[in-house]
Amino acid sequence: MTNLLLAKPLIEDTLPKLKDLCSQMSSPPKMRVILVGENQASVTYVKHKEKQCEKIGALFDLVKLPLDISRDDFLQEIEKLNSDNSIHGGFVQLPLPKHLSDIDTTELIAPEKDVDGFGVESFIGLIKNNYERGFIPCTPKGIMTLFETENIDLTGKKATVIGRSLIVGKPMALLLQNAGATVTMCHSRTRNLKEHTLSADIIISAVGKTKFLNADYFQKDQSQVLIDVGMNRDEENKLCGDIDFESVKDNVKAITPVPGGVGPMTVLSLMENLVLAKQRQEGK
Ligand code: NAP
């Protein structure tokens, strides 16, 4: 029987532990989120993060900036976040509006507060396989937590990652390599994608296209693990992933559904990173 890799039980198990850690601190950890404009999806993501902060007893501070904010004013807000000792973790909710989109967001947040794990320092940690200073980016971290909890051993496995973004594909590939997998990275220029999905033990799709991968891309003998990072809308405007779930679900060993799989794990990782940031700043 196919194993559904669900975030909910794991979250229900982990949040009380994080809450416990927060209650033992000298003061609760505090997260600041910078949101430019009112992009509906971004507002929804931010609300979800706020809820999770409440659940672990962390403080949440949303700075809403107007869509037409000047570059200087935006950078000043970042500076405030970085220099305020009462803020332990922070991030800019992406995407930024067009006039700010050339700003290198990997250089914005102070490394010790980079709970999203998008900063250069965090990336160096992935390359070195040493996470003492930076933070593991939330989506790949959440996927690794799922593997660990579900006892999915990565050593010697062949993993195919589709997508090479800085926030998902690249860090995911590095984490898998660090865990002993043999990794193939695919992208829009990859020839014969099927060859790479059919021959893998584990496939992680972070493309962002509705039903991009159907049953033809996978083995039918329940041998493969599928991780669907995609967050797309189907023809009925329902949230869905990159993988045509219904057509593959009975053929695979395990699969993350969308919604209910990788998305909530990403937010859980953010909470874990916030607690870690506060622990580090307290010298623990
Ligand atoms: P992105 O920056 O747009 O990257 C998409 C990647 O897909 C690119 O590397 C692109 O290749 C590749 N691609 C596009 N068409 C392809 C094709 N025909 N064959 C193979 N590869 C192809 O996206 P992202 O930020 O990584 O996000 C990807 C998806 O994950 C989106 O749906 C996003 O909403 C979702 N997401 C979910 C979470 C979560 O928590 N669940 C978190 C982050 C993102 P090139 O590099 O060659 O263009």
Side-chain angles (χ1 to χ4, degrees):
M1 212 177 74
T2 301
N3 183 12
L4 271 189
L5 303 174
L6 296 168
K8 199 171 172 208
L10 227 160
I11 290 173
E12 284 174 353
D13 184 53
T14 311
L15 287 182
K17 292 177 186 159
L18 293 176
K19 189 174 180 182
D20 232 36
L21 285 172
C22 290
S23 69
Q24 289 161 27
M25 291 172 172
S26 55
S27 61
K30 186 171 176 183
M31 171 109 83
R32 176 169 290 175
V33 179
I34 296 185
L35 176 67
V36 184
E38 304 244 341
N39 173 307
Q40 206 39 57
S42 296
V43 171
T44 307
Y45 293 148
V46 166
K47 274 195 187 137
H48 190 46
K49 289 164 187 173
E50 181 174 12
K51 244 192 203 163
Q52 300 303 308
C53 273
E54 269 169 28
K55 284 189 184 166
I56 64 164
L59 303 174
F60 185 85
D61 178 32
L62 175 62
V63 176
K64 277 183 172 177
L65 302 175
L67 192 62
D68 61 353
I69 188 165
S70 73
R71 198 184 178 86
D72 283 354
D73 289 351
F74 171 74
L75 291 175
Q76 223 169 43
E77 283 300 334
I78 301 291
E79 187 41 45
K80 276 193 221 161
L81 187 166
N82 286 337
S83 58
D84 184 341
N85 289 336
S86 76
I87 312 277
H88 308 101
F91 63 91
V92 177
Q93 182 67 47
L94 298 175
L96 284 173
K98 245 188 183 156
H99 70 288
L100 302 177
S101 61
D102 66 317
I103 293 176
D104 183 357
T105 50
T106 65
E107 304 275 7
L108 286 181
I109 305 294
E112 69 278 11
K113 299 185 183 184
D114 175 33
V115 286
D116 247 349
F118 293 172
V120 173
E121 192 83 42
S122 294
F123 225 88
I124 292 172
L126 289 169
I127 292 164
K128 288 185 174 172
N129 194 14
N130 177 338
Y131 311 107
E132 272 170 29
R133 279 165 62 83
F135 296 86
I136 302 177
C138 297
T139 301
K141 178 180 167 121
I143 294 169
M144 293 303 278
T145 306
L146 273 176
F147 286 145
E148 204 184 307
T149 317
E150 297 284 338
N151 292 319
I152 296 171
D153 183 19
L154 301 169
T155 319
K157 296 283 165 58
K158 185 176 183 323
T160 290
V161 178
I162 317 172
R164 55 177 166 179
S165 71
L166 274 176
I167 63 169
V168 188
K170 285 191 176 120
M172 190 71 245
L174 286 166
L175 283 171
L176 289 164
Q177 278 179 48
N178 293 344
T182 302
V183 182
T184 301
M185 282 201 75
C186 300
H187 43 76
S188 65
R189 304 300 174 96
T190 300
R191 288 191 207 146
N192 201 355
L193 182 61
K194 252 180 220 171
E195 196 180 280
H196 301 293
T197 53
L198 284 167
S199 61
D201 301 302
I202 296 163
I203 299 98
I204 299 183
S205 181
V207 174
K209 292 184 180 170
T210 303
K211 293 185 183 170
F212 177 65
L213 302 168
N214 61 25
D216 297 347
Y217 283 81
F218 307 108
Q219 297 293 346
K220 296 186 173 51
D221 59 357
Q222 298 201 326
S223 61
Q224 296 178 304
V225 174
L226 271 50
I227 306 292
D228 195 346
V229 182
M231 292 215 318
N232 316 304
R233 295 275 161 187
D234 68 10
E235 53 285 348
E236 288 162 12
N237 203 34
K238 279 197 200 138
L239 189 62
C240 68
D242 293 341
I243 298 171
D244 183 3
F245 183 83
E246 285 304 319
S247 83
V248 308
K249 70 178 193 329
D250 296 327
N251 301 341
V252 297
K253 186 174 176 184
I255 182 168
T256 56
V258 180
V262 176
M265 288 306 297
T266 300
V267 186
L268 180 68
S269 303
L270 184 70
M271 297 304 119
E272 289 173 334
N273 280 350
L274 176 66
V275 171
L276 177 62
K278 175 73 158 78
Q279 283 174 328
R280 284 178 180 167
Q281 287 163 52
E282 285 197 342
K284 285 182 185 160

